[in-house]
Amino acid sequence: MSLIVHKYGGTSMGSTERIKNVAKRVAKWHRAGHQMVVVPSAMSGETNRLIGLAKEIQSEPDPRELDMLCCTGEQASVALLAMALKAEGLDAISFSGWQVPIKTDSAHTKARIESIDDKRVREHLAQKKVVIITGFQGIDEQGNQTTLGRGGSDTSAVAVAAAMNAAECLIYTDVDGVYTTDPRVVPEARRMRVVSFEEMLEMASLGSKVLQIRSVEFAGKYRVPTRVLSSLTDPMCDLAEEKVSGTLITFEEDENMEQAVVSGIAFNRDEAKVTIRGVPDKPGVAYQILGQVADANIDVDMIIQNQGTDGTTDFTFTVHRNEFNKTMDLLKNKIQASVQAREIAGDTDVCKVSIVGIGMRSHVGVASLMFKTLSEEGINIQMISTSEIKVSVLISDKYMELAVRALHKAFGLEKEAA
């Protein structure tokens, strides 16, 4: 009897009717002989509602109390799903993250999982129960409830699957797989049957909203077979077909993957650009700036340091748009004086567009085709970042959709790989 982990997103849990459909689907898998662990998100919109309430009380909500509040969304989901499974005639039991326990560090609102004790879960699975565990949350060493950040239920599910050596982790969402790019931007976007772990990791880090990046990191580190598929299909659809639907994140590069130079295009509107002008051009200045930014728990993405002239240089980097104001305050109030910078400038009207593909390792001219395509559309590139299997550019936000459509066509992504 194989152990399967199902994860259901907020849309899948968005109403009592949809929760009943989730229960029907889980029951179908259980009756086919699988041990089932289910990790649901809060009902659609619930976390935003709770954060909104918190901000009505406190403009910058206390992180610990915000975690306490936001944990209630998933607690409602697991209890309702357990009731729905009982109504289907199955024995089910729900647990909060702290009851498992899922142990995390103490970084409230974006904690990281450190370990999972699966003993209690296995005891109930041995009694033929369906076990339902809250996504998105855990408990730190001091006994405080913590949350993993937005999309954290994906991470919870893959981490549980890794800890329990599950046969597969199925991520049910409101889309039927991973596409070459967002179909709402490019109607010709194509669903991929398989995507490599490396490509999925890059796409998640570059703005693809299908999976949270830490869930992909877990999948890769512990080699958890992970599939993305739709929860909006008939819950009683044929199990054999469902098992091979959606997109499988694979760890083996097959021949078709070798033929696809670029597999997908990711974009991210949550970017903001910060520039520190007139910084003394001397060793250690990058650390003086970025060390303090890191100490403030601000994640930095793209970085450029210009060639120095007249003994000074300009230093530019990007951060998440939500952390732009915090970054600018830090730079102006602490860093500017300490590094003797002439000026601090910022821009939130930017976005990042990226091409991703493991085939880029063995093909030349990929970046030049990207730059040529953007040039022909009159789109100026502000920053460039590359890795072995991706090229990212920072451009003006108003050109994002035009850039994605043009690049999707230029690399022929609407066509199936030969």
Side-chain angles (χ1 to χ4, degrees):
M1 187 189 296
S2 60
L3 171 61
I4 302 290
V5 174
H6 279 196
K7 182 266 174 179
Y8 291 92
T11 306
S12 312
M13 300 290 293
S15 66
T16 52
E17 201 55 44
R18 286 190 174 174
I19 291 171
K20 289 176 183 176
N21 281 337
V22 167
K24 286 185 173 68
R25 192 182 302 273
V26 173
K28 176 183 71 178
W29 282 75
H30 188 267
R31 287 172 181 140
H34 297 289
Q35 289 186 319
M36 297 299 300
V37 176
V38 187
V39 180
S41 296
M43 296 175 75
S44 181
E46 179 63 9
T47 303
N48 286 340
R49 184 185 75 84
L50 294 169
I51 292 172
L53 290 173
K55 288 185 174 179
E56 286 181 28
I57 301 288
Q58 195 181 18
S59 59
E60 292 291 333
D62 178 82
R64 182 192 182 280
E65 301 310 326
L66 187 60
D67 275 359
M68 285 290 289
L69 179 66
C70 288
C71 281
T72 63
E74 280 72 20
Q75 285 167 211
S77 287
V78 295
L80 289 169
L81 182 54
M83 294 174 197
L85 283 162
K86 288 173 186 289
E88 284 288 318
L90 270 63
D91 197 359
I93 186 167
S94 66
F95 293 116
S96 290
W98 65 268
Q99 293 175 302
V100 173
I102 296 172
K103 296 174 183 174
T104 75
D105 63 20
S106 300
H108 285 291
T109 75
K110 46 182 173 182
R112 289 186 172 269
I113 295 173
E114 294 181 340
S115 65
I116 296 176
D117 185 344
D118 63 352
K119 182 183 176 186
R120 192 173 188 185
V121 175
R122 289 194 185 277
E123 285 173 355
H124 287 281
L125 288 174
Q127 297 168 29
K128 302 194 184 310
K129 293 178 185 175
V130 175
V131 177
I132 310 156
I133 303 170
T134 52
F136 175 64
Q137 60 189 256
I139 187 168
D140 71 7
E141 259 188 22
Q142 289 74 44
N144 299 307
Q145 283 187 282
T146 57
T147 67
L148 310 180
R150 301 311 293 265
S153 294
D154 290 346
T155 304
S156 302
V158 177
V160 166
M164 303 196 66
N165 198 26
E168 191 163 293
C169 181
L170 279 64
I171 309 286
Y172 285 90
T173 181
D174 55 354
V175 295
D176 62 350
V178 180
Y179 278 71
T180 49
T181 195
D182 189 334
R184 291 169 295 186
V185 174
V186 183
E188 299 80 19
R190 177 178 49 80
R191 180 175 63 82
M192 293 182 275
R193 182 182 58 84
V194 294
V195 62
S196 76
F197 154 71
E198 290 172 281
E199 288 170 324
M200 193 66 241
L201 186 63
E202 289 283 13
M203 291 175 77
S205 70
L206 295 169
S208 172
K209 299 295 193 292
V210 178
L211 287 176
Q212 192 204 43
I213 183 170
R214 277 188 282 166
S215 69
V216 185
E217 289 171 347
F218 260 102
K221 183 175 181 180
Y222 297 102
R223 300 187 77 79
V224 179
T226 304
R227 186 177 296 274
V228 178
L229 64 171
S230 175
S231 67
L232 304 182
T233 56
D234 177 1
M236 299 313 293
C237 63
D238 181 72
L239 185 61
E241 289 182 17
E242 188 172 355
K243 282 181 176 180
V244 296
S245 66
T247 301
L248 176 66
I249 300 173
T250 180
F251 303 96
E252 303 299 328
E253 297 181 12
D254 65 26
E255 291 178 8
N256 285 338
M257 287 183 182
E258 289 296 324
Q259 294 166 13
V261 180
V262 170
S263 297
I265 298 173
F267 56 87
N268 188 359
R269 276 195 159 118
D270 297 329
E271 297 277 327
K273 182 176 72 169
V274 176
T275 300
I276 308 166
R277 296 196 176 102
V279 178
D281 188 18
K282 61 183 182 182
V285 72
Y287 172 71
Q288 280 185 274
I289 297 167
L290 295 181
Q292 293 184 69
V293 171
D295 288 344
N297 210 17
I298 297 169
D299 290 325
V300 171
D301 184 14
M302 306 171 86
I303 304 171
I304 288 179
Q305 183 172 348
N306 296 332
Q307 180 69 40
T309 56
D310 302 323
T312 67
T313 185
D314 294 343
F315 196 85
T316 303
F317 60 92
T318 61
V319 296
H320 194 283
R321 201 171 289 182
N322 287 347
E323 297 187 314
F324 175 71
N325 290 334
K326 181 180 176 183
T327 306
M328 290 296 284
D329 288 344
L330 176 67
L331 290 173
K332 288 177 178 177
N333 297 329
K334 285 187 68 178
I335 296 176
Q336 183 173 5
S338 68
V339 300
Q340 301 174 312
R342 184 178 70 249
E343 180 188 359
I344 306 292
D347 186 1
T348 56
D349 294 324
V350 294
C351 70
K352 182 169 65 175
V353 176
S354 311
I355 56 173
V356 178
I358 55 174
M360 290 166 63
R361 288 175 177 154
S362 53
H363 290 77
V364 297
V366 178
S368 63
L369 176 56
M370 181 186 198
F371 302 152
K372 177 178 180 240
T373 302
L374 295 175
S375 172
E376 288 172 348
E377 297 294 342
I379 300 171
N380 184 48
I381 297 171
Q382 300 179 27
M383 298 176 76
I384 300 169
S385 172
T386 65
S387 78
E388 197 177 21
I389 66 166
K390 76 107 196 295
V391 180
S392 296
V393 295
L394 195 76
I395 61 173
S396 174
D397 189 50
K398 65 183 178 182
Y399 294 123
M400 192 278 292
E401 292 192 8
L402 174 61
V404 172
R405 285 195 292 267
L407 291 169
H408 198 273
K409 184 175 181 182
F411 286 101
L413 293 180
E414 73 280 1
K415 304 167 191 165
E416 284 280 356

